């Protein structure tokens, strides 16, 4: 039967064949690609607030028609944004940390005043304040009257490393100092935080480990394209062939970052061996895990992993993940944990890649799906005049306290698939 169909197809004029391919592509796009995002969140006031105040959640996500494959979204999003989004004019502040290290805080305050709410943004693995995805979020926030401060990790953003220590996904001590510093400047209940990729891991671990401090200083938080389970994430990025190419690019960026840090040249760090790393896991095994006192790289990854810590978070947290993220398989997204938690909601799109989420025929504008969701959430959480969100936050915390003092009943959870 298949042979008969194939023969009929090969006898068609070439333009007919092209037409059939186009029709099939369009049908596939409308049926398998364009979907409304899933919101994994416990039933209650937080979920109702999100649906009532964030219009993007009610709409289907329309990935760029010619670029919806996960790796294509990941790569082209970076290229297109870097070409079309101008550099941001920041006001730089150098913050000296308690151990003598330095981080750069880049403030974007145009069209804002001293009473404007503020969002601390944490870039990804080797990202800094002019990274294309950071600029996308900065402009999205600024367009709605929100201040932004980008937290550049040690040794990044053009800074010289002052102490023989970089950063890692599991350590949130530097972020803790940054949050306390910024909260002295920003009006109470008007400070939010957002982390992208590895920045999301750092922020998530901060929310889970320093929950009381986080609740005292942050009104709301958001993470984007976070590798929920670091073990599965590193395994996914090492899969051949395209995923592995992305992983090699990031590993090379890590090696370059370390090679620029002259302070390690007189230490026991084997720079020559590290420069030969081809994967992120190799780099973490030789450098990151050792620098932060882990016996094995798997111990570091277990400590950095976030998917099993959602129950400890007591700041309203909205997350954005794509089901096809090459850095994180769908089965690693903690849907059930989000449904059981009091403060966490995860938006899951069928497509989007890793920090991609391109949309439109030619996604050249500053506003994209990722930035629009970001602005809608923080506008309603930080700029509200009715204090609805503050009331919901109080109710959520009451539920959190009750949950952690009384036995909670198990509940059947819903399985999702794309």
């Amino acid at each position: 039967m298949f042979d008969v169909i194939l023969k009929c197809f090969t006898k068609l004029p070439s333009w007919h064949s092209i037409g059939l391919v186009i029709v099939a592509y369009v049908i596939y796009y409308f049926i398998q690609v364009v979907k409304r995002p899933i919101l994994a969140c416990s039933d209650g006031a937080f979920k109702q607030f999100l649906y009532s105040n964030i219009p993007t959640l009610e709409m289907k996500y329309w990935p760029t028609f010619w670029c919806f494959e996960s790796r294509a979204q990941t790569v082209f999003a970076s290229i297109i944004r870097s070409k079309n989004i101008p550099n941001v004019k920041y006001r730089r502040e150098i913050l000296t940390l308690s151990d003598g290290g330095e981080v750069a805080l880049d403030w974007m305050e145009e069209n804002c005043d001293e009473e404007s709410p503020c969002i601390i943004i944490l870039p990804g693995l080797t990202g800094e304040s002019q990274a294309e995805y950071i600029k996308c979020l900065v402009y999205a926030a600024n367009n709605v009257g929100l201040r932004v401060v980008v937290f550049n990790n040690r040794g990044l953003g053009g800074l010289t490393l002052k102490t023989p220590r970089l950063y890692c996904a599991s350590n949130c001590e530097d972020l803790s100092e940054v949050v306390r510093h910024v909260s002295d400047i920003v009006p109470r209940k008007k400070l939010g935080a957002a982390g992208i990729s590895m920045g999301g891991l750092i922020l998530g671990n901060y929310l889970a480990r320093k929950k009381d401090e986080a609740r005292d200083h942050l009104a709301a938080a958001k993470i984007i394209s976070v590798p929920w389970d670091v073990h599965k994430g590193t395994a996914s990025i090492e899969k051949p062939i395209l995923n592995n190419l992305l992983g090699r690019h990031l590993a090379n960026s890590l090696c370059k970052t370390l090679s620029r840090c002259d302070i390690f040249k007189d230490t026991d760090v084997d720079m020559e061996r590290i420069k030969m790393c081809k994967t992120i896991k190799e780099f973490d095994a030789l450098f990151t895990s050792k620098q932060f006192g882990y016996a094995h790289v798997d111990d570091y990854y277990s400590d950095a992993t976030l998917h099993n810590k959602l129950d400890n978070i007591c700041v309203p947290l909205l997350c954005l993940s794509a089901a096809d993220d090459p850095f994180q398989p769908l089965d690693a997204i903690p849907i059930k944990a989000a449904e059981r938690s009091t403060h966490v909601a995860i938006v899951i799109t069928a497509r989007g890649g890793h920090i991609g989420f391109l949309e439109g025929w030619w996604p050249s504008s500053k506003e994209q799906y990722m930035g629009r969701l970001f602005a809608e959430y923080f506008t309603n959480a930080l700029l509200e005049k009715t204090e609805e969100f503050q009331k919901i936050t109080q109710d959520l915390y009451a539920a959190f306290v009750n949950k952690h003092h009384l036995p909670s009943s198990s509940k059947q959870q819903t399985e999702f698939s794309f």
Side-chain angles (χ1 to χ4, degrees), residues 136-237:
C136 174
L137 299 179
V138 168
Y139 280 116
N142 187 252
N143 287 339
V144 294
L146 294 169
R147 282 187 290 177
V148 168
V149 55
V150 182
F151 165 29
N152 297 276
N153 278 307
R154 302 182 189 217
L156 297 178
L159 283 187
T160 301
L161 205 62
K162 299 295 184 181
T163 60
R165 171 187 156 178
L166 276 176
Y167 54 89
C168 77
S170 62
N171 188 282
C172 56
E173 297 304 321
D174 289 357
L175 174 59
S176 177
E177 292 195 50
V178 168
V179 168
R180 294 198 302 268
H181 171 75
V182 175
S183 67
D184 289 338
I185 302 170
V186 177
R188 182 168 175 77
K189 299 298 182 185
K190 294 296 184 181
L191 180 61
I196 300 87
S197 193
M198 194 195 77
L201 282 174
I202 296 173
L203 176 57
N205 277 298
Y206 171 76
L207 296 175
R209 290 173 175 162
K210 296 184 178 291
K211 46 183 175 288
D212 292 332
E213 175 187 312
R215 183 173 178 271
D216 286 342
H217 297 296
L218 298 178
K222 189 173 191 297
I223 58 179
I224 299 170
S225 292
V226 66
W228 293 100
D229 184 328
V230 183
H231 295 285
K232 290 185 177 182
T234 52
S236 180
I237 200 61

Side-chain angles (χ1 to χ4, degrees), residues 28 82 99 113 147 192 217 227 229 231 235 239 276 303 305 329 341 346 371 398 414:
Y28 178 82
S82 64
D99 68 347
D113 56 43
R147 282 187 290 177
H217 297 296
D229 184 328
H231 295 285
K239 290 181 179 179
M276 298 177 66
D303 200 27
T305 285
S341 72
I346 307 176
T414 306

Side-chain angles (χ1 to χ4, degrees), residues 53-57 59 371-381:
N53 293 278
I54 302 180
T56 298
L57 294 179
M59 299 184 294
R372 187 167 63 254
L373 188 67
F374 175 87
E376 288 175 357
Y377 175 60
F378 281 115
T379 296
N380 287 284

Side-chain angles (χ1 to χ4, degrees), residues 261-335:
C261 301
D262 295 336
I263 199 167
F264 290 110
K265 290 182 178 179
D266 297 325
T267 66
D268 59 356
V269 176
D270 190 345
M271 295 293 293
E272 293 305 314
R273 188 180 175 193
I274 291 174
K275 288 179 182 178
M276 298 177 66
C277 291
K278 301 300 182 185
T279 68
I280 296 173
K281 189 168 185 176
E282 287 179 4
F283 180 92
D284 287 336
L286 289 173
F287 179 75
T288 312
S289 58
K290 292 181 178 179
Q291 190 180 47
F292 285 87
Y294 294 99
H296 192 274
V297 65
D298 287 339
D299 298 325
Y300 163 46
Y301 285 171
S302 294
D303 200 27
T305 285
L306 189 59
H307 77 287
N308 56 356
K309 299 172 184 171
L310 271 58
D311 209 35
N312 293 325
I313 294 173
C314 57
V315 171
L317 174 65
L318 181 65
C319 315
L320 174 61
S321 292
D324 66 347
D325 189 333
F327 287 40
Q328 189 68 93
L330 174 61
D331 64 4
I333 300 175
I335 293 174

Side-chain angles (χ1 to χ4, degrees), residues 1-27:
M1 179 66 180
F2 178 77
D3 292 338
V4 174
I5 295 173
L6 183 61
K7 287 180 181 179
C8 293
F9 184 79
T10 54
K11 290 180 180 180
L12 289 173
S14 59
W15 64 271
H16 283 168
S17 300
I18 294 172
L20 287 174
V21 170
I22 293 174
V23 169
Y25 186 92
V26 171
I27 292 173

Side-chain angles (χ1 to χ4, degrees), residues 8-80:
C8 293
F9 184 79
T10 54
K11 290 180 180 180
L12 289 173
S14 59
W15 64 271
H16 283 168
S17 300
I18 294 172
L20 287 174
V21 170
I22 293 174
V23 169
Y25 186 92
V26 171
I27 292 173
Y28 178 82
Y29 177 80
F30 280 98
I31 294 177
Q32 295 295 329
V33 177
V34 178
K35 292 179 181 289
R36 178 176 164 176
I38 288 169
L39 180 64
C41 180
S42 62
D43 292 332
F46 188 32
K47 189 173 188 177
Q48 293 172 3
F49 174 85
L50 293 173
Y51 273 129
S52 299
N53 293 278
I54 302 180
T56 298
L57 294 179
E58 296 282 8
M59 299 184 294
K60 290 182 177 180
Y61 167 50
W62 295 74
T64 298
F65 184 74
W66 51 269
C67 177
F68 57 76
E69 197 275 334
S70 63
R71 280 69 60 94
Q73 276 267 334
T74 302
V75 173
F76 279 101
S78 178
I79 294 173
I80 292 172

